[in-house]
Amino acid sequence: MQHKILIIDDDCDFVDATKLLLEAHDYQVLTANNGQEGFHKVKKELPDLILLDMMMTYKTEGAETAKAIAADAAVKDIPIIMITGARKEHSFSFELKPDNDKLPIKAIMEKPVDPEDLIKKISFFLSKKSSEHYENLSMIEQLIKKWEGKEGNLIMVLHEVENHYGYIPRDVSFDLSRCLGIPLARIYEVISFYHYFKLEKPGKHVISVCMGTACYLKGSPQLLKEIKNILNIEEGEVTKDGMFQLSSVRCLGCCGLAPVIMIDGKIYGNLKPGDLLEIISKYNNQTVNVA
Ligand code: FES
């Protein structure tokens, strides 16, 4: 399978030289010379990897394009290698750092880019993707065979994918679109219509804070605030290391123990904010914020 790489850069010399290099390594290459055109091509062509220039018409154009990609569910997991000639300038780290964890930037390379290093990085990110991709494909083929010709088969296939991964990975949606001949936009329409389907990988440990009336009156908002502090995440988010997911729920059915939280199905009751660090630390010592 020939991988598709999109170069978004306004430096024609760099684009021409990199295109030649990548084609010589059997990659299909697409190009765009600004962030807007680049984002349009990302959506239309669904490349396997993006080389994105940091500074184009204006100095944060690359970062803003990366943010737009990260905000779009259909393309947010496409790996990006950020290319820059401005890394030594303060603006670069300043602009990228705040949201860097949420952007799909896998590597940052400075111009002049070492061709050998670039090819090494690209093949690393794509081969990693390929092994997952083949696993996905064989599972999808089996699911399609199982539900072929049956009414509502897309939803049934999505349910099985959700049960298998715990969410619907973007690559799987993409493969489903190809294998079933259904537009990707239609698949995302279905996924976003049903609350059951998730687009984000769930955390290893799920913490649910009860916000039912009894728990609320006995202090669950303070528990929620303290957990957010400890894990440094908001409700609905997963910690950076994927260990914890935080959510709130309505009445866990044990109001006599209010206020209550549940971690992976285990109930902790009669809690005070000061009890939480110790409880959460039992599940993982790395993630918690002890400061
Ligand atoms: S209100 Fe929290 S367990 Fe019932």
Side-chain angles (χ1 to χ4, degrees), residues 210-216 220 249-260:
C210 180
M211 298 296 266
T213 310
C215 289
Y216 191 91
S220 59
V249 290
R250 296 278 155 203
C251 192
L252 286 164
C254 40
C255 312
L257 297 175
V260 163

Side-chain angles (χ1 to χ4, degrees), residues 114-175:
D114 175 5
E116 211 176 300
D117 192 21
L118 178 65
I119 293 298
K120 233 188 256 171
K121 283 192 168 64
I122 289 175
S123 69
F124 173 76
F125 296 129
L126 292 180
S127 67
K128 218 170 141 196
K129 186 180 171 211
S130 289
S131 58
E132 286 163 10
H133 184 73
Y134 288 123
E135 268 173 44
N136 292 347
L137 270 183
S138 80
M139 185 192 68
I140 288 166
E141 276 161 15
Q142 286 172 25
L143 289 177
I144 288 176
K145 231 182 249 167
K146 182 174 166 187
W147 294 103
E148 203 169 21
K150 295 183 182 142
E151 208 179 317
N153 60 1
L154 173 59
I155 291 182
M156 297 321 294
V157 168
L158 286 173
H159 267 286
E160 297 222 24
V161 171
E162 173 87 25
N163 291 341
H164 181 82
Y165 292 99
Y167 73 117
I168 314 280
R170 185 197 75 93
D171 282 359
V172 173
S173 304
F174 189 25
D175 289 335

